[in-house]
Amino acid sequence: MRKISLLCPTRGRPDRAANLLTSVMSTQTQDNELLFCLQEDDPRLKDYTPEVKKRALISPPRTTSHYWNFLAEKSQGEIQIGRAS
């Protein structure tokens, strides 16, 4: 099976990111990848759970398209799927 990378740039929504992570981890049937992109100036950066942070890349403030491309470049999956959180 081909590995899937779920790419999720987010800002100011630590609860939604944690919910997405819980949902993905509880329903996946193979070893897929979930990557978050957090912004270094996010006022809620400290509120993201350690589980989200260990799957997160930190970026300076940029455009939304930058975050999608940044995540795609760093992902390991053969298939990349985006999800805004």
Side-chain angles (χ1 to χ4, degrees):
M1 294 192 115
R2 297 181 351 175
K3 185 174 187 171
I4 298 170
S5 294
L6 301 169
L7 312 178
C8 184
T10 189
R11 179 181 176 87
R13 296 181 290 262
D15 296 335
R16 290 187 67 181
N19 288 342
L20 177 61
L21 176 60
T22 298
S23 177
V24 168
M25 298 311 288
S26 67
T27 59
Q28 71 176 346
T29 59
Q30 64 186 57
D31 185 29
N32 292 311
E33 175 182 51
L34 175 57
L35 288 177
F36 293 94
C37 185
L38 306 177
Q39 297 171 27
E40 64 188 17
D41 69 340
D42 185 340
R44 299 210 47 207
L45 188 60
K46 65 179 179 9
D47 299 329
Y48 288 88
T49 65
E51 293 81 15
V52 169
K53 286 181 179 177
K54 77 178 183 183
R55 291 171 174 79
L57 302 170
I58 308 295
S59 174
R62 301 275 194 264
T63 63
T64 302
S65 60
H66 162 82
Y67 302 127
W68 291 116
N69 291 329
F70 182 59
L71 286 169
E73 289 171 9
K74 302 294 184 182
S75 68
Q76 302 290 315
E78 296 172 80
I79 301 169
Q80 290 111 12
I81 300 172
R83 166 81 165 76
S85 156

